[in-house]
């Protein structure tokens, strides 16, 4: 969320994004086809690298702004989404996204299948939630189209987005129990992530400063959700050469990175 990024950048030098500039035009149309909502978006944009213009309030060094190769990027985005009813004590939604680019300075495709499961009853004593995705790219990816994983919102307990490439998968889940309704809930977290670099993304990954994950990277954690599950304070540890990470978030704590 914006409040996370603002305080993260001001105090610790990490705003949890990899920014670049975009100027252009997008036209979108959406319609239901049976139980599936289809959205098609045609985009033309000019992209260029951003640069760091402000430091932190304290002594922390700001996280560097990663470079990208600028250019024109006309592309077509297609999203198919479906919401399901309650099953296994959760409400499910599944989304298929494709991004097709040609005719500009880049030529690539990206494909991603994602899901999320949320509690159907916000007042239930026990709840669980989950999210995950698998993704694949073809062609030649620019840096700004790498599939990035690691750290908060994907695999907490590792650095922020140290892994990338053209193939990736991740999943995370949390189980929570009411302690003092509606003020406090206890949470247990678990996640894993994986990326691979092939010729599709090798040059971009080297310029951007990311590597493949080197296999499956798991993490576990615990935390507290407060004030109707709006404020969350979690701590997580990566189990494969990871680190301890404290995560303050304003719900939704997880976002789709792919």
């Amino acid at each position: 969320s914006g409040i996370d990024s603002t305080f993260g950048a001001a105090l610790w030098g990490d705003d949890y994004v990899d920014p670049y500039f975009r100027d252009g035009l997008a036209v979108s149309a959406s319609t239901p086809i049976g139980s599936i909502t289809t959205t098609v978006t045609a985009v033309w944009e000019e992209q260029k690298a951003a640069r760091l213009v402000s430091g932190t309030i304290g002594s922390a060094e700001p996280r560097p702004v990663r470079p990208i190769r600028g250019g024109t990027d006309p592309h077509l985005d297609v999203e198919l989404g479906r919401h399901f009813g309650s099953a296994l004590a959760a409400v499910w939604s599944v989304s298929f996204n494709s991004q097709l680019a040609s005719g500009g300075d880049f030529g690539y495709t990206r494909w991603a299948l994602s899901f999320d499961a949320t509690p159907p009853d916000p007042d239930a004593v026990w709840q669980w939630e989950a999210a995950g995705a698998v993704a694949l790219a073809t062609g030649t990816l620019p840096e700004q189209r790498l599939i990035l994983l690691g750290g908060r919102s994907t695999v907490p307990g590792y650095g922020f987005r140290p892994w990338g490439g053209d193939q990736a998968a991740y999943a995370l889940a949390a189980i929570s129990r009411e302690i003092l309704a509606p003020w406090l809930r206890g949470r247990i977290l678990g996640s894993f992530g994986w990326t691979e670099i092939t010729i599709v993304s090798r040059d971009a990954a080297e310029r951007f400063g990311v590597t493949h994950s080197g296999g499956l990277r798991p993490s576990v954690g615990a935390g507290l959700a407060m004030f109707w599950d709006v404020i969350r304070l979690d701590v997580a540890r990566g189990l494969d050469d990871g680190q301890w990470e404290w995560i303050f978030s304003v719900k939704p704590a997880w976002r789709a990175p792919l």
Side-chain angles (χ1 to χ4, degrees):
S1 69
I3 192 171
D4 294 342
S5 292
T6 299
F7 280 99
L11 300 176
W12 302 289
D14 197 339
D15 58 0
Y16 316 117
V17 293
D18 288 297
Y20 60 93
F21 291 107
R22 303 185 303 167
D23 293 305
L25 176 70
V27 178
S28 183
S30 182
T31 184
I33 301 177
S35 59
I36 298 175
T37 300
T38 302
T39 303
V40 179
T41 305
V43 182
W44 183 94
E45 60 187 22
E46 185 80 23
Q47 303 167 351
K48 64 179 181 179
R51 62 187 181 90
L52 185 67
V53 296
S54 179
T56 63
I57 294 175
S59 59
E61 285 293 325
R63 180 170 173 264
V65 177
R66 288 165 161 169
I68 70 163
R69 182 163 51 97
T72 59
D73 184 16
H75 57 272
L76 185 70
D77 295 340
V78 180
E79 179 180 357
L80 307 176
R82 181 176 180 182
H83 294 277
F84 296 87
S86 179
L88 301 176
V91 177
W92 297 79
S93 64
V94 176
S95 178
F96 175 76
N97 299 79
S98 64
Q99 191 171 68
L100 316 173
S102 64
D105 293 315
F106 315 116
Y108 63 88
T109 69
R110 296 206 325 169
W111 314 83
L113 180 64
S114 60
F115 78 92
D116 66 78
T118 57
D121 181 4
D123 297 321
V125 175
W126 285 94
Q127 295 179 356
W128 78 281
E129 58 188 312
V134 294
L136 172 71
T138 65
T140 302
L141 287 180
E143 294 86 343
Q144 57 270 36
R145 294 295 185 236
L146 288 167
I147 304 166
L148 302 172
L149 288 183
R152 62 167 54 216
S153 67
T154 55
V155 193
Y158 298 92
F160 185 68
R161 293 180 175 178
W163 316 313
D166 51 273
Q167 302 172 24
Y170 87 99
L172 41 76
I175 299 174
S176 66
R177 190 189 190 284
E178 179 183 281
I179 298 174
L180 181 62
W183 313 108
L184 193 64
R185 300 185 68 89
R187 291 161 43 82
I188 298 176
L189 320 172
S191 66
F192 70 84
W194 167 86
T195 68
E196 187 58 78
I197 295 172
T198 72
I199 192 172
V200 173
S201 61
R202 187 169 298 140
D203 292 342
E206 183 177 350
R207 291 191 297 265
F208 205 62
V210 297
T211 65
H212 61 79
S213 64
L216 202 66
R217 298 292 189 108
S219 75
V220 295
L224 296 173
M226 296 164 280
F227 308 112
W228 291 271
D229 201 11
V230 173
I231 304 297
R232 292 178 175 179
L233 180 63
D234 299 316
V235 61
R237 171 75 181 184
L239 300 180
D240 185 358
D241 197 25
Q243 62 195 33
W244 288 104
E245 180 180 9
W246 287 93
I247 305 168
F248 170 82
S249 57
V250 180
K251 194 178 181 182
W254 299 335
R255 63 182 186 276
L258 303 182

